Every structure is written in structure tokens, then in C-alpha cells.
Amino acid sequence: MIILFAFLASFITQTNLPSLNDSISAKDIKHVIYNSIKYLDENVSVNGGYVWYYKTNLSRRWGELEAYPSMIWVQGGTVDMGNLFLDVYDVTEDEYYYNLAKKSALALIKGQLECGGWNYFIDFAGDSSTKKWYSTIGANAWRLEEFHQYYGNATFDDNVTAGAAKFLLRIYLIKKDSIIKKSLDKAIEFILKSQYPNGAWPQRFPFIKNRNDYTRYYTFNDNVIWNNIKFLILCYATLKYEKLLEPIKRGMNFFILSQYKKPQAGWAQQYDLKLQPARARTYEPAALDPQYTARHIEMLIKFYEMTGDKKYLNAIPDALQWVKSVVINNKDSLALVPKFVELRTNKPIYLHRKGSNLKFGSYYFDYCDSNIVIHYPCTRLINLQSIERQYKNALQKQINNKKANYLNLPESNDILNLYYLIDDFLQLPSDNFMINNRNKITSEIVNNIISKMDNHSRWLTEEVFISNPFIDGEISGDSETKSYSISYVGDKFDTSPFPNNTNEKFISIREYIKNIKILLNYIKRTL
């Protein structure tokens, strides 16, 4: 306890903050935010971009996998930090944060592919460095199959392209920067070009000749179609791009088109070009997905609210009935459902693996719910009561908007406020937010956050994902062992990420974002 108070006293002296017994002012909190972000910008940022986690001496760093020092990650790193800078700018009106956000935007623009989209990461060392990474670290990440080969095209997976484009839209609306607009329009055209005639989007685009794998499939996984629709709606409303309405509605209609037949009236994560549920990664079977079906019901309700077309509501009862048929058990208001349900039999499918690494390992499925993998949970929780309530409420709404050239959306004369209103409107009730109710944020919580900073104005945490370093040379292993059947990572040759199980602390972009958002919301509450 003495050591703790000594540390706090040292921290207070270094940062000129009031003691923790005093009420902390908005000015003091802004000072904390400034120091924390200044450290990241001056010591961690690469051309305005970020990955996810860093060793404190910056000797190693990770996005979804270990990254080179020349790399930044798009989703989870650069886009999230760019949006955070804009969040701080919105509250403080300090140009310093707008300039940092623009720095992140310019990093994304520099890494935008010629086609108009983005890959998972940007490597400022060039294409040869990227290919080397894919042939070493990426190629040996057992459970992250999307990194096993270099495609050279853009991805919609993990909200990469739509997320980057949405951030560019947001920052463009603030000052109408022509450089950002050029990149934004390029991204919009890419998303339009990559849409299938039936309204769906693939996982990756442009297609690679003679490579007919799952990246061409109609993809719901990671909300590919929903994220693209949301982005186009924001552009339609804020940029007044009327041409986007038809592809938006075509995307909405694909949800109706792809619903599986009764009595299994749910949805799969992806479909082949014959519109049949299809296998993607080796641990993703051709099956129906109750979790995605539940989210799609919420999306259908949104589509009805925007269009007034009851065909979206008409698809819901059969979907609800199917989800209820596969519930494993109920706990309070939540229902436990299988991640994958077999076609025709309606049985839950469970995922297992054996072996020690990518070369000496494999995944397989059966009906046994024991000894299942933990890196891709085979059961999920959904709030069926909430979904049924949303559906009943939607039935009571009288929405008469059936104009072919119109969407029923929030309105505002302020273009940036319109962006925020629509973005909030498009959030689904099942979406989880870091901060749900800013009134719950107390001065004690704020002081606790501030007290956890070190003398470099950093928040450090043990709660990160790290990995084994890549080992160059002959790979050995055991294809039958069950030693790694329920672990995040295989043997020493596996470069897949796993939770840090040591006392070592790391710099975490996620931790920064969480803490600064809490501080910002406390400032808003005191204004």
C-alpha cells in the first residue's frame, strides 16, 4: 500500500494533476488525454498508423498476427485510433487531434490498393516485404487461414475496407479535404464494382485468376454485406449520392434471397455461387448459423424501418421459429445456441482439431460437444427475448414509405451531425458498446484510470494476444497428438496468437481506446 501511494504521488507530481482526493476537472482530464496520445504519436505510430499490441520497448508488435516494424494494421489499429482522435476532437475542438486523425487518414490513403480497397495491413516497406511476411509468419499461423497465402487484393473481412472507407467519410465531412475525398470516392466505386448482381459481396476482390476458393463466395461472415450497406447508406445521406440507393436496396434484398428453406429458415455464413451454404476455412462447415440468423432478424427490422416494405418482416417468423428449434438451453434472457447447425438433420456440429501445427494438424467436425476448440467457440449466446420484442414492436409501426427513390432516415441540417445520427440509427440492439451509459462513469472510475498510467503516460496491460516468433527451417510435428486440441496455439512452429500468460505488460491500443473513451464521456457529463 505504501508503494502504491508513493507511485501515485510520483505520478501526480509528474503530470501536475490534483490529488486523487480532489475533484478532477475537465482541464485535468484533457491534460491526461493529451499526454497519453502524444506518447503514442511520437513513439509508437508508423506514419500515423498503428497495430494492436506492442512490447514496452517496441521490440515486437502484433496486429492479428505479429507485424513487422514497417507495418500498420487497418482494422483494430489505424482506423480505430483515427476515429478516437476524431472523438477527442469533437469534445475538445483542439486542432491537434484533427491533425492526428488526418495523419491516420493519410496513412490509409497511402496504403489504399489501386483497386480502391484495403488489405488487412499496410506494409510501408513495400510488396516484397509483404510477400516475405505472408510466406513466413502468415503461412505458419495454423488457425488463421486467411493469412496463409498472399492474394494481393482487397478484403471486406473484419470490416477492413468498409471500416477504412467509413473513417475517411467521417473525417472528410469535417473539413471537406479534397485529398481525402479523392480516396473516399475511389473506395465507394470499389465497393460498387465488387457487388454481385444479386446484391451480395464476396470476401475479397478483385478476383484472382484461377483461384476459385471461398473468397469469391457470397459472404455474411464478419458482417461483410451489412457493413457495406451501412457505409453506402451513410454516403447516400451525407454526400447526396443518389446512385447508391439501388445497390443499397439490392444488398438488402439479398437477405431475402439467401434465406434457407423451411423448416431451417436461417442463414449461413457464406454461400457458393449456386446460392448454397458453403464451407470456407477448414473449421467453417457448410452449415446454418443461428447467431448470424438472430442478427439478420435485427437487420431485416432495420430494412423495414428504412423502406416500409413488409417483405423484410415477413421473413422473420420462420427464422425465429428455426432459431428456437436449435436452442441448447436458456439462461435468464439469453439463449445458448450452436454456432453451426447441420443442413437437413438440424443437429449441432462441433469443431475439433488434432496435430501440432499447420503442417502436422487438421480440423474435423462431429456431433460430440466435448474437447472442442476454444479459438472458435462452437456455441454462442443470443438474446431471443430482445429479438422477439423488436419484431413485435416493428409490427406495430406504420411505415408508409415505399418510394423507390427514398430511405426513411434521421434528418439534420448539419451534415456531420447527420452522419452521427444515421450511424447511431444503424446500430443493432445486439451490438455491444464499450460505454453504454455515460452517467455510470464516476470520478472514482476516472481517478482509477488515471492512477494506472505509468510515468510515460502509458496504460499497460497483461491482457493482450502475443505469439511464438517465426522459426525458419524444417518443421517437425505430430499429426495425431491431442495436446493442442483445445489451445489457442500449437507447438513452437505455430505463429497463431494466444493470450499472454505471463506478468509482462504491453502497450495495448484497445486499452488506450477504452480508457480515453471513458475519460471523454466523463468530460461530456461535466459540461
Side-chain angles (χ1 to χ4, degrees):
M1 184 62 73
I2 294 175
I3 294 175
L4 173 62
F5 281 117
F7 165 76
L8 292 179
S10 172
F11 170 80
I12 292 164
T13 300
Q14 292 163 357
T15 58
N16 298 315
L17 288 178
S19 71
L20 298 184
N21 293 322
D22 295 337
S23 60
I24 190 163
S25 68
K27 181 180 179 181
D28 293 325
I29 297 174
K30 289 177 184 179
H31 185 61
V32 169
I33 292 173
Y34 173 80
N35 284 337
S36 67
I37 288 179
K38 184 171 184 286
Y39 173 83
L40 287 183
D41 176 52
E42 294 181 353
N43 298 278
V44 177
S45 165
V46 176
N47 295 334
Y50 301 84
V51 293
W52 298 5
Y53 311 117
Y54 305 79
K55 288 179 73 73
T56 55
N57 63 4
L58 305 181
S59 60
R60 294 182 71 192
R61 62 194 66 203
W62 294 264
E64 195 163 6
L65 290 172
E66 184 163 8
Y68 291 160
S70 56
M71 289 178 172
I72 63 174
W73 228 256
V74 177
Q75 172 262 355
T78 306
V79 168
D80 288 4
M81 283 301 296
N83 277 310
L84 180 71
F85 296 145
L86 292 183
D87 290 343
V88 182
Y89 176 70
D90 285 344
V91 174
T92 65
E93 299 181 344
D94 188 333
E95 290 295 316
Y96 172 71
Y97 300 107
Y98 173 82
N99 291 331
L100 287 181
K102 185 175 178 181
K103 191 174 177 181
S104 295
L106 293 176
L108 291 171
I109 291 171
K110 188 173 183 180
Q112 187 176 21
L113 301 176
E114 185 60 33
C115 64
W118 284 266
N119 190 24
Y120 296 100
F121 59 82
I122 297 165
D123 190 344
F124 292 111
D127 202 48
S128 60
S129 177
T130 299
K131 289 179 178 177
K132 179 183 177 182
W133 183 91
Y134 269 100
S135 66
T136 54
I137 294 172
N140 287 281
W142 185 7
R143 65 180 177 82
L144 275 81
E145 298 174 14
E146 60 270 38
F147 296 105
H148 287 178
Q149 53 190 321
Y150 174 70
Y151 283 87
N153 57 4
T155 183
F156 292 113
D157 190 35
D158 287 343
N159 199 27
V160 170
T161 289
K166 182 182 173 186
F167 166 62
L168 293 183
L169 172 64
R170 181 185 178 190
I171 191 171
Y172 168 72
L173 294 175
I174 296 174
K175 295 192 177 183
K176 309 293 177 60
D177 188 296
S178 60
I179 295 175
I180 295 173
K181 180 63 159 48
K182 182 179 178 181
S183 177
L184 173 62
D185 283 339
K186 187 176 179 180
I188 293 170
E189 290 306 312
F190 169 73
I191 291 174
L192 295 180
K193 185 177 180 180
S194 59
Q195 187 181 26
Y196 279 105
N198 63 13
W201 276 272
Q203 190 195 71
R204 301 192 71 107
F205 192 80
F207 300 134
I208 307 301
K209 187 177 181 180
N210 298 325
R211 186 172 285 177
N212 297 315
D213 61 6
Y214 71 90
T215 61
R216 291 175 178 249
Y217 289 170
Y218 310 139
T219 303
F220 283 121
N221 190 30
D222 277 333
N223 297 312
V224 163
I225 297 173
W226 174 232
N227 287 332
N228 285 340
I229 289 173
K230 287 195 297 181
F231 169 68
L232 293 180
I233 289 172
L234 283 165
C235 293
Y236 163 79
T238 60
L239 301 176
K240 309 302 180 185
Y241 283 3
E242 297 292 333
K243 67 178 182 178
L244 301 183
L245 185 58
E246 188 276 334
I248 289 168
K249 290 194 172 183
R250 196 157 24 106
M252 292 177 179
N253 289 337
F254 182 74
F255 285 73
I256 303 296
L257 182 65
S258 58
Q259 186 175 19
Y260 203 64
K261 57 191 176 184
K262 293 173 61 175
Q264 293 183 293
W267 283 269
Q269 287 193 146
Q270 54 276 318
Y271 296 78
D272 64 23
L273 300 188
K274 295 180 180 179
L275 206 58
Q276 294 300 306
R279 186 171 187 173
R281 292 174 291 189
T282 58
Y283 47 83
E284 293 170 324
L288 298 175
D289 186 331
Q291 179 194 27
Y292 272 79
T293 298
R295 283 183 59 81
H296 287 184
I297 291 171
E298 292 185 307
M299 294 171 196
L300 290 170
I301 293 170
K302 284 291 179 187
F303 299 161
Y304 169 67
E305 291 174 347
M306 287 186 280
T307 67
D309 194 332
K310 289 192 175 180
K311 70 182 178 183
Y312 298 114
L313 295 186
N314 294 339
I316 292 176
D318 290 339
L320 267 173
Q321 185 175 349
W322 175 71
V323 173
K324 290 178 181 179
S325 76
V326 297
V327 170
I328 298 170
N329 60 54
N330 291 282
K331 183 178 181 181
D332 300 324
S333 61
L334 300 179
L336 183 70
V337 295
K339 176 61 177 173
F340 299 119
V341 174
E342 192 172 46
L343 302 174
R344 292 179 291 279
T345 70
N346 218 38
K347 291 181 179 180
I349 306 174
Y350 295 98
L351 173 63
H352 313 272
R353 75 177 181 182
K354 62 180 180 178
S356 55
N357 53 50
L358 178 62
K359 185 176 180 181
F360 295 89
S362 60
Y363 287 92
Y364 61 96
F365 301 95
D366 60 24
Y367 305 127
C368 178
D369 63 356
S370 62
N371 206 41
I372 54 180
V373 299
I374 61 171
H375 69 77
Y376 203 85
C378 294
T379 57
R380 306 295 168 99
L381 288 169
I382 59 176
N383 193 332
L384 264 178
Q385 291 183 15
S386 171
I387 293 169
E388 288 189 287
R389 186 164 55 249
Q390 293 172 53
Y391 172 60
K392 290 177 182 177
N393 290 340
L395 289 174
Q396 303 303 314
K397 294 180 180 178
Q398 297 299 320
I399 301 174
N400 297 316
N401 169 33
K402 290 190 177 181
K403 296 179 183 178
N405 60 344
Y406 184 78
L407 288 179
N408 182 38
L409 296 168
E411 297 179 355
S412 174
N413 292 326
D414 182 291
I415 198 70
L416 191 58
N417 185 54
L418 179 63
Y419 170 94
Y420 292 137
L421 288 174
I422 295 175
D423 191 39
D424 184 62
F425 168 75
L426 293 174
Q427 296 292 342
L428 302 178
S430 61
D431 289 334
N432 294 319
F433 298 94
M434 290 181 181
I435 301 166
N436 296 320
N437 186 349
R438 70 176 63 146
N439 292 324
K440 295 180 181 178
I441 301 171
T442 65
S443 58
E444 288 77 15
I445 292 173
V446 169
N447 281 322
N448 183 53
I449 288 172
I450 294 172
S451 72
K452 290 180 179 178
M453 298 181 80
D454 70 3
N455 57 4
H456 295 292
S457 294
R458 303 181 301 187
W459 285 290
L460 305 180
T461 179
E462 299 169 9
E463 297 178 5
V464 302
F465 276 75
I466 56 176
S467 65
N468 296 321
F470 166 70
I471 298 175
D472 195 8
E474 185 68 23
I475 296 176
S476 60
D478 181 347
S479 60
E480 296 300 322
T481 181
K482 296 294 181 69
S483 299
Y484 308 102
S485 61
I486 59 172
S487 64
Y488 278 90
V489 66
D491 62 17
K492 64 181 181 180
F493 295 103
D494 185 4
T495 57
S496 301
F498 57 87
N500 172 43
N501 57 4
T502 71
N503 293 325
E504 183 178 1
K505 293 184 180 295
F506 297 79
I507 299 169
S508 166
I509 292 302
R510 183 175 298 174
E511 190 75 9
Y512 266 79
I513 292 172
K514 180 189 73 175
N515 289 338
I516 291 175
K517 280 183 176 289
I518 292 173
L519 297 181
L520 287 176
N521 277 284
Y522 185 79
I523 292 174
K524 291 178 187 177
R525 202 196 74 179
T526 60
L527 293 178

